[in-house]
């Protein structure tokens, strides 16, 4: 009997996004012929939890919920590239981060990829190895008449623990470090002021790196809007919790 991968993904509680990706790359013949959870436990690749216990995260802060549900005209989500502003962020696995920003009114487009690294044309597997220096990121075009850069930062910080260094949830390594990559001096100043403003809310030091945006390498098509392809809602205003596993 074929094992459905979508069901298996929902059994994970301690695996990272890269673990899930590797699982999806297993040959179809292997998936159809063995008990996959038993195989992976024996091999030590994954730790498995109870059904449906994979990481799930909603929008926690009331002010962030207000940003997500902001009243606006649908046409405001479509804006010419020359009239839009660009924002680039990193907050761990890019699947969930992208879906969160897809739901923000005024965000016209989003793309996941790799940034702040040294290697040209990096692949997902190379980035996951930690050898390229890149971090998984999300780049977006947004309409500043609908959503401000500071509001985007509020959404970003609601999606992560900014006091963790090279780690978000089960995702560990420099490729999962959090960052704000500014495209203008104004964005840089807004980001630094925002971090200064919210630091008292945390007992530990905020570890989010703030750097000038470098080349952003789009991730493979497979990763683009991954969670939306897995049937999670990307509609503007949606407050449903985001599941990292598809």
């Amino acid at each position: 009997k074929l094992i459905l991968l979508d069901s298996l993904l929902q059994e994970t509680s301690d695996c990272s996004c890269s673990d899930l990706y590797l699982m999806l790359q297993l040959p179809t013949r292997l998936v159809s012929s063995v008990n996959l959870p038993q195989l992976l436990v024996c091999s030590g690749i994954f730790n498995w939890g109870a059904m449906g216990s994979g990481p799930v995260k909603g929008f926690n802060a009331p002010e962030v919920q207000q940003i997500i549900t902001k009243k606006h005209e649908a046409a405001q989500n479509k804006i010419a590239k020359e009239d839009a502003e660009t924002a680039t962020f990193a907050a761990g696995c890019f699947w969930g981060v992208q879906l969160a920003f897809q739901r923000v009114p005024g965000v016209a487009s989003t793309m996941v990829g790799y940034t702040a690294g040294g290697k040209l044309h990096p692949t997902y597997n190379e980035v996951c190895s930690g050898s390229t220096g890149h971090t998984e990121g999300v780049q977006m075009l947004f309409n500043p008449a609908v959503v401000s850069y500071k509001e985007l930062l509020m959404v970003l910080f609601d999606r992560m623990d900014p006091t963790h260094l090279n780690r978000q949830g089960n995702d560990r390594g420099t490729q999962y470090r959090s960052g704000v990559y500014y495209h203008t001096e104004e964005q840089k100043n807004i980001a630094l002021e925002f971090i200064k403003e919210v630091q008292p809310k945390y007992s530990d030091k905020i570890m989010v790196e703030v750097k000038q945006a470098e080349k952003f390498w789009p991730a493979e098509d497979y990763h683009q809007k991954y969670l939306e392809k897995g049937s999670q809602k990307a509609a503007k205003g949606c407050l449903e919790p985001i599941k990292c596993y598809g």
Side-chain angles (χ1 to χ4, degrees), residues 103-132:
R103 297 176 175 182
V104 176
V107 172
S109 64
T110 61
M111 177 191 304
V112 297
Y114 318 113
T115 193
K119 188 179 186 300
L120 303 181
H121 306 286
T123 66
Y124 181 72
N125 288 337
E126 289 173 335
V127 172
C128 282
S129 74
S131 64
T132 70

Side-chain angles (χ1 to χ4, degrees), residues 12 21-22 31 95-96 137 206 229:
T12 60
Y21 176 80
L22 290 172
V31 171
W95 291 345
I206 290 176
K229 293 173 184 176

Side-chain angles (χ1 to χ4, degrees), residues 207-225:
M207 304 302 294
V208 178
E209 64 179 16
V210 178
K211 294 183 176 181
Q212 184 172 4
E214 301 177 11
K215 174 69 177 178
F216 188 87
W217 300 97
E220 295 81 350
D221 288 343
Y222 173 82
H223 292 292
Q224 303 299 332
K225 299 182 178 180

Side-chain angles (χ1 to χ4, degrees), residues 58-155:
F59 296 96
N60 298 321
E63 58 269 26
V64 172
Q65 294 178 8
Q66 292 176 6
I67 294 171
I68 302 298
T69 58
K70 182 186 298 186
K71 291 184 178 181
H72 67 291
E73 298 295 329
Q76 293 179 297
N77 296 317
K78 298 180 181 179
I79 184 173
K81 187 173 182 180
E82 57 269 22
D83 297 325
E85 292 186 19
T86 304
T88 305
F89 303 128
C93 176
F94 50 25
W95 291 345
V97 181
Q98 180 178 36
L99 184 59
F101 282 107
Q102 285 180 264
R103 297 176 175 182
V104 176
V107 172
S109 64
T110 61
M111 177 191 304
V112 297
Y114 318 113
T115 193
K119 188 179 186 300
L120 303 181
H121 306 286
T123 66
Y124 181 72
N125 288 337
E126 289 173 335
V127 172
C128 282
S129 74
S131 64
T132 70
H134 293 85
T135 185
E136 291 191 11
V138 178
Q139 189 167 95
M140 65 204 75
L141 294 178
F142 67 97
N143 184 346
V146 180
V147 62
S148 69
Y149 189 71
K150 181 176 180 179
E151 288 176 321
L152 294 179
L153 289 171
M154 292 169 65
V155 175

